[in-house]
Amino acid sequence: MRKLLPLIGSHPGGRSAMTCRYRCGDACFHEVPNNSGNEYAGDVIAAALSRRSVLRAGAVVGATAAAGAAVGIGQAPEAAAKPSAVPGKGWEKEHGKIRGAARGLRFAPVAPNTADAVTVPEGYAQNVVIRWGDPILRGAPAFDPEKQSAKAQAGQFGYNNDFLTLLPLKGERGRQVLFANHEYTDEELMFPGYDGDNPTREQVEIAWAAHGLSVVVVEEDRRTGKLTAVPRHHLNRRFTATSEFRLTGPAAGSDLLKTSADPTGTRVLGTLNNCAGGTTPWGTALSAEENFNQYFGGAASVTDPEVRARLARYGMSGGASGRKWERFDDRFDLTEEPNEANRFGWVVEVDPYDPDSVPRKRTALGRFKHEAAEPRLTADGRPVVYMGDDERFDYFYKFVSSRRMAKGDSRAAREHNLTLLDEGTLYVAKLTGDSPADQIDGSGKLPSDGEFDGSGVWIPLATGDTSHVPGMSAEEVYVFTRLAADKVGATKMDRPEDVEPSPRTGRVYVALTNNSQRGVGSNPAADEANPRNANRHGQVLELAEHWDDPAADGFAWRLFLVCGDPEDPATYFAGFPKDQVSPISCPDNLAFDAYGNLWISTDGNALGSHDGLFGVATAGERRGEVRQFLTVPAGAETCGPIIQDRRVLVAVQHPGEVDGASYEQPASAWPDGPGRAPRPSVVSVWREDGRGIGV
């Protein structure tokens, strides 16, 4: 037997201490904010393993709804189970082609590696589309890291690009609109001589300008497949930590959102820590505010016990913040403005086609550490948005709008569609396993039925101005959504991050990145949905709404992948032979291609190699076959994948973010080579022969 790949690093997954500090404020080293007695998904999974065999290769799951109706994974209850997956044919080449792989995944998988480069399959080419600091607005100067200013950065592409979406641009042949968000800043890598205990005002203001969102038009070279940015286009925009945003929906104007600078509770300066997002059917971009808690200081000095408890549930309980922003603006000091933190942790909607529009923070979608917000439509045209709360032992949500999308691109239709996410019902998920509890022992061993699976219900939290949570008003539900979910008994998950509905089948896939604290000390032990204690590698959950209706109040679920080294008995690849898959660890962002394959980017690979992008078939005899498409440079994370017919885009985030690295001593030379500062960038990949990706 091959020796198991080594685990690296002393932090959860394979992250460096620097990443943990700057990205999420060392969240994994603080006490778990959720101390409710709610059931843990790992325990649920442990109870559900008995039915695994009937779910392989896309088979029907028979699950019991809350009302007692039989349901299946995306099929009618009377559908018969399909046979188990057929063993794969391997990755061998025949006449220069890859045999056996699913259409869309026919490339020679990239081997795990630690190269300081973006490594792509043989026969593929790449280019950097846009880098941190590239000018995109009129008047913005060329990037010079040693002469950077806040004014310059506000006109340049921001730092640490994460979510990406490409939207069509009518009337401009070969051009598209790229939307990107910028999660956080790593000041040690950005500034010469940075002193974290004593940042300067200029450094802080540059960091404010490097956060936020970018809209930039890109142009295709039709001869090569390259994408390049079009600077100074009239649609190009930057939104920063000091730009104007509007709060909309049922909590807008609440006393809980009012501050001395905004007594209306409807206008916010800035957006913080934007992670994944989504693209709406009406042509707007959604961006999710995640680890906003780390930017606020003074929580330990707040005197009101109820306010302190609410802050603690959102990860704010200490003294000074890591970046010390409260020294330069009172709104980041919770003793001065305790409501300011309530104005972050929302889903932001941006209209990239209107250069005069003000982005909206949609309160109807709840407030928590949003990782994603991916919509789909019901049969009658109402949007449903799936969302994860990226924290150990937190929850999985959805929002069902009460309004139907208007078709067409008239001004009236566009204005109507920009109201769709302000009215509807917010739900949280409760999962139930179907295997005996004694068969879930925390090792990841499958239960006797061969699969981790079960059923679930969506518990309503609020509809408009009506709360469904006893003891909480509707405004409190939206602003303190975690507390509402605690009260109704939602299922604790292993860091639910990106959530992606399949455009082909309607099944919903949830990336559960990892949870090294599962089963440690007094923390909840494994359950069927989260079947491993000290879970370093994560899993991907597959969910089917009852009757394939996104607005249904119940669903069936199963684990699609249990990630890690294929030689580890605790891993599972939808029943596909494990000697024929690429090792994958810490799934994060998700996307689909035109053939129904799921693409997974990773964050914190704990298998000794760099993070990367992977494709996996979700149906047919190749279901569960994972194939690695690319890897990213030293210290980097793979984000924001876009899979087009002839192009793949990824956001390469925080290259060189390695313990001990600094501006003076960089740990990566990517993308500009030795002697240059590492720069987060967007990369485009295409086939050299001009044909489709993986076909």
Side-chain angles (χ1 to χ4, degrees):
M1 176 181 289
R2 177 171 58 88
K3 184 179 179 181
L4 295 185
L5 295 171
L7 299 176
I8 61 171
S10 59
H11 283 61
R15 285 183 177 176
S16 69
M18 182 180 287
T19 301
C20 290
R21 180 167 66 255
Y22 283 108
R23 181 180 188 180
C24 59
D26 285 325
C28 290
F29 292 90
H30 298 156
E31 290 187 11
V32 174
N34 188 355
N35 57 16
S36 71
N38 294 358
E39 192 171 22
Y40 172 52
D43 301 330
V44 173
I45 291 178
L49 289 178
S50 61
R51 298 193 312 150
R52 177 173 205 151
S53 58
V54 300
L55 290 177
R56 289 181 179 170
V60 173
V61 175
T64 302
V71 298
I73 288 282
Q75 300 187 33
E78 65 272 14
K82 297 178 181 179
S84 299
V86 176
K89 300 178 181 178
W91 295 343
E92 63 269 28
K93 290 186 178 182
E94 183 177 289
H95 305 299
K97 297 181 180 180
I98 303 298
R99 294 190 319 168
R103 186 168 177 82
L105 301 178
R106 294 171 186 167
F107 50 81
V110 169
N113 66 79
T114 57
D116 188 27
V118 174
T119 304
V120 299
E122 179 184 352
Y124 284 76
Q126 59 177 292
N127 81 295
V128 173
V129 180
I130 191 167
R131 301 164 171 81
W132 163 49
D134 284 350
I136 62 174
L137 302 187
R138 293 183 184 276
F143 178 65
D144 185 341
E146 298 195 10
K147 296 180 180 179
Q148 187 69 312
S149 69
K151 181 179 179 181
Q153 178 65 84
Q156 299 166 337
F157 194 67
Y159 199 78
N160 271 345
N161 35 223
D162 194 305
F163 174 70
L164 305 174
T165 189
L166 275 173
L167 296 165
L169 185 55
K170 292 183 179 179
E172 297 193 30
R173 184 184 173 119
R175 290 183 172 182
Q176 300 176 77
V177 180
L178 174 68
F179 173 88
N181 62 24
H182 305 288
E183 186 172 3
Y184 68 97
T185 48
D186 190 329
E187 285 78 354
E188 288 184 54
L189 303 183
M190 294 171 65
F191 302 124
Y194 180 72
D195 180 356
D197 292 327
N198 296 287
T200 67
R201 172 171 285 278
E202 183 69 8
Q203 289 169 338
V204 168
E205 291 183 352
I206 292 170
W208 290 345
H211 278 72
L213 320 168
S214 291
V215 177
V216 57
V217 172
V218 294
E219 187 168 37
E220 177 184 14
D221 182 336
R222 303 184 74 84
R223 295 172 301 171
T224 65
K226 287 178 60 177
L227 277 184
T228 56
V230 180
R232 298 182 295 280
H233 193 281
H234 75 279
L235 290 181
N236 290 2
R237 301 184 77 183
R238 275 300 323 280
F239 303 97
T240 73
T242 58
S243 301
E244 180 184 355
F245 289 74
R246 286 177 51 201
L247 287 159
T248 68
S254 165
D255 288 344
L256 297 169
L257 299 176
K258 294 176 180 177
T259 65
S260 58
D262 174 30
T264 70
T266 61
R267 297 191 304 272
V268 181
L269 287 182
T271 183
L272 298 173
N273 211 268
N274 284 261
C275 201
T279 308
T280 69
W282 52 94
T284 61
L286 303 180
S287 185
E289 296 182 319
E290 192 187 16
N291 292 297
F292 63 91
N293 57 298
Q294 63 175 301
Y295 300 96
F296 295 90
S301 299
V302 172
T303 57
D304 186 316
E306 184 176 14
V307 173
R308 287 186 65 176
R310 288 170 168 174
L311 291 171
R313 183 63 181 88
Y314 281 81
M316 292 169 278
S317 59
S321 70
R323 289 178 175 81
K324 312 297 189 294
W325 286 3
E326 64 273 21
R327 296 181 184 177
F328 304 95
D329 190 333
D330 282 349
R331 69 190 179 109
F332 297 108
D333 185 341
L334 294 169
T335 63
E336 297 288 336
E337 294 289 353
N339 280 353
E340 184 69 23
N342 297 345
R343 293 144 66 85
F344 297 88
W346 304 101
V347 170
V348 180
E349 184 171 12
V350 178
D351 184 353
Y353 296 112
D354 182 355
D356 298 318
S357 61
V358 177
R360 299 162 168 90
K361 297 191 179 188
R362 302 298 193 184
T363 65
L365 276 61
R367 174 176 165 267
F368 42 88
K369 290 186 179 181
H370 284 275
E371 166 75 18
E374 190 60 43
R376 61 188 289 209
L377 294 176
T378 63
D380 62 356
R382 292 175 295 133
V384 175
V385 182
Y386 296 93
M387 302 168 287
D389 185 348
D390 184 9
E391 185 90 64
R392 296 165 296 161
F393 306 111
D394 258 295
Y395 309 125
F396 170 45
Y397 299 84
K398 80 172 178 180
F399 167 82
V400 181
S401 178
S402 59
R403 295 186 174 187
R404 298 180 183 180
M405 187 183 85
K407 296 181 179 179
D409 56 4
S410 68
R411 180 174 180 179
R414 199 151 188 85
E415 289 180 352
H416 169 79
N417 291 338
L418 287 171
T419 70
L420 296 177
L421 301 184
D422 283 339
E423 295 186 18
T425 300
L426 179 64
Y427 298 87
V428 69
K430 182 175 179 60
L431 284 68
T432 301
D434 67 358
S435 295
D438 61 3
Q439 293 186 14
I440 308 301
D441 60 8
S443 69
K445 179 182 178 182
L446 292 173
S448 58
D449 68 353
E451 193 154 31
F452 299 106
D453 63 330
S455 60
V457 294
W458 291 109
I459 304 172
L461 299 176
T463 304
D465 295 331
T466 301
S467 169
H468 304 300
V469 181
M472 295 184 73
S473 68
E475 290 179 356
E476 289 173 327
V477 169
Y478 295 119
V479 178
F480 306 116
T481 309
R482 283 182 166 182
L483 293 169
D486 292 344
K487 283 179 173 287
V488 300
T491 300
K492 298 179 178 181
M493 306 295 288
D494 281 350
R495 291 185 55 212
E497 296 217 26
D498 206 357
V499 184
E500 194 82 14
S502 168
R504 280 200 162 196
T505 67
R507 295 181 187 176
V508 180
Y509 294 80
V510 185
L512 301 165
T513 298
N514 56 45
N515 185 352
S516 61
Q517 296 301 303
R518 175 75 66 182
V520 176
S522 60
N523 291 327
D527 57 35
E528 192 156 0
N530 304 274
R532 291 180 294 188
N533 289 331
N535 177 15
R536 294 175 61 88
H537 301 292
Q539 59 258 16
V540 177
L541 182 143
E542 182 181 43
L543 176 152
E545 301 274 22
H546 289 177
W547 318 114
D548 291 330
D549 178 8
D553 59 5
F555 55 88
W557 65 267
R558 59 184 170 190
L559 289 190
F560 175 55
L561 302 177
V562 180
C563 300
D565 189 330
E567 290 289 345
D568 186 340
T571 58
Y572 173 71
F573 298 88
F576 195 81
K578 295 202 291 182
D579 62 344
Q580 298 179 43
V581 303
S582 295
I584 182 171
S585 173
C586 300
D588 189 348
N589 298 143
L590 307 176
F592 279 93
D593 63 22
Y595 308 104
N597 301 307
L598 180 66
W599 290 67
I600 305 169
S601 65
T602 64
D603 169 21
N605 184 352
L607 292 173
S609 59
H610 286 177
D611 279 311
L613 178 66
F614 303 75
V616 55
T618 61
E621 67 177 19
R622 314 299 296 186
R623 173 177 161 86
E625 181 182 17
V626 177
R627 302 169 73 84
Q628 183 157 9
F629 182 75
L630 61 74
T631 55
V632 293
E637 169 192 347
T638 323
C639 297
I642 299 174
I643 317 300
Q644 297 182 316
D645 289 345
R646 296 178 181 271
R647 181 182 295 109
V648 169
L649 270 75
V650 293
V652 179
Q653 194 185 83
H654 57 76
E657 199 171 66
V658 174
D659 293 344
S662 66
Y663 180 88
E664 293 79 9
Q665 295 182 313
S668 173
W670 189 88
D672 297 328
R676 307 282 187 90
R679 297 166 70 182
S681 306
V682 177
V683 172
S684 175
V685 182
W686 65 92
R687 272 177 65 158
E688 292 176 339
D689 62 10
R691 299 181 62 199
I693 299 294
V695 298

